[in-house]
Amino acid sequence: MSIIHKDIAAIREDYSKFHLEEKDVAANPIEQFQCWFDQSVRSQVMEPNAMVLSTIGEGHFPSSRVVLLKDIKSNGFSFFTNYDSRKGRAIANCDRVSLLFFWPELQRQVRIEGRAEKLPAEDSDEYFASRPKASQLGALASPQSSIIDDRNFLQTRVDSLENKYALNDEVPRPAYWGGYLVKPVRMEFWQGRSSRLHDRVEYVNRGGDWEIHRLAP
Ligand SMILES: Cc1cc2nc3c(=O)[nH]c(=O)nc-3n(C[C@H](O)[C@H](O)[C@H](O)COP(=O)(O)O)c2cc1C
């Protein structure tokens, strides 16, 4: 083993900040998520709404990338992206996805498994309209996940869109850009504890009801 590998192996944190008991969690995992999310915001976790979205793509390989959570609804979690992107194409073929949050400052991880569906067009319109104009033009300019020749390709497209929409306050949402709602079927809340004896509380949806279990760490 090289020196560098030894150094990596020596990196470890002991967790002792909080604990999580089955009796203290909300009956509904989305409410429990809301509670932890609020604590992350209050604790000034860096980008608390950044989450790893994993999709199942070609050849059944999972594929992961970070996206931003934009809303917590009573029935799920929403994010926005390009529907023609690699992730969009994967979801069109298989709606089973996972979301992962890691909030190191709070020694917490949340895992979500569920099904993704497109948000209604009005919701995507509303969110698109709320974005800064530069972000709107960026979404229009970028054929997300396609191979492009160079950075200049994007700049040329942005320049021409800036001209096209110079006098318009409203940039229309392109049909290929919008939101998804992930409706959870399983969620797990992980709280780091000392000596690797972490707390794990799992929610599983069975016929519309949420069962709650403790899992071994
Ligand atoms: C902090 C962070 C936030 C991001 N937020 C988004 C997002 O909300 N939507 C999005 O489409 N891509 C977002 N990205 C970029 C994605 O990680 C990814 O590069 C892009 O969506 C293309 O992924 P795909 O080719 O698998 O479709 C974000 C990346 C980072 C690091």
Side-chain angles (χ1 to χ4, degrees):
M1 197 191 267
S2 72
I3 294 291
I4 289 173
H5 280 108
K6 268 190 199 150
D7 287 350
I8 292 175
I11 299 173
R12 62 170 63 86
E13 279 289 324
D14 196 49
Y15 304 122
S16 57
K17 284 189 177 168
F18 306 104
H19 55 98
L20 183 67
E21 307 294 337
E22 303 92 299
K23 65 176 175 42
D24 296 332
V25 297
N28 181 297
I30 298 179
E31 281 171 32
Q32 180 61 32
F33 181 88
Q34 182 78 63
C35 167
W36 271 24
F37 186 76
D38 291 347
Q39 289 173 7
S40 290
V41 172
R42 281 204 300 276
S43 308
Q44 299 185 325
V45 166
M46 199 179 145
E47 298 215 68
N49 62 332
M51 57 186 188
V52 176
L53 161 74
S54 299
T55 52
I56 300 169
E58 261 173 63
H60 306 292
F61 278 101
S63 172
S64 303
R65 79 290 285 157
V66 176
V67 294
L68 295 179
L69 175 71
K70 287 294 168 180
D71 199 9
I72 304 169
K73 297 180 187 291
S74 61
N75 59 347
F77 304 89
S78 66
F79 65 91
F80 290 85
T81 192
N82 185 313
Y83 289 141
D84 294 338
S85 64
R86 184 169 169 204
K87 73 181 91 48
R89 283 181 274 122
I91 293 170
N93 278 325
C94 175
D95 65 358
R96 292 164 194 214
V97 303
S98 80
L99 303 174
L100 179 94
F101 292 83
F102 176 42
W103 295 313
E105 296 89 338
L106 298 180
Q107 305 171 341
R108 287 176 175 171
Q109 167 181 253
V110 180
R111 294 166 65 176
I112 300 170
E113 282 148 38
R115 289 178 181 265
E117 58 186 53
K118 283 184 181 175
L119 284 175
E122 311 82 73
D123 292 15
S124 294
D125 288 340
E126 193 185 328
Y127 175 65
F128 190 78
S130 77
R131 301 182 87 203
K133 192 170 183 182
S135 307
Q136 294 174 330
L137 296 181
L140 278 172
S142 172
Q144 194 176 55
S145 315
S146 303
I147 295 174
I148 54 176
D149 283 342
D150 50 26
R151 193 171 172 87
N152 199 36
F153 167 91
L154 292 175
Q155 197 56 57
T156 310
R157 286 177 60 133
V158 168
D159 291 346
S160 98
L161 286 162
E162 274 171 354
N163 281 334
K164 183 170 173 189
Y165 292 106
L167 302 175
N168 297 43
D169 285 337
E170 293 226 345
V171 177
R173 175 180 68 89
Y176 55 78
W177 193 97
Y180 288 99
L181 177 71
V182 177
K183 291 179 167 171
V185 297
R186 179 188 180 280
M187 288 181 57
E188 182 200 318
F189 295 81
W190 183 99
Q191 177 70 64
R193 299 288 305 272
S194 59
S195 310
R196 296 297 180 257
L197 295 178
H198 313 299
D199 289 329
R200 300 178 64 192
V201 174
E202 174 193 59
Y203 293 74
V204 183
N205 196 294
R206 299 221 191 272
D209 293 324
W210 289 103
E211 282 179 9
I212 300 178
H213 318 110
R214 172 176 286 269
L215 301 176

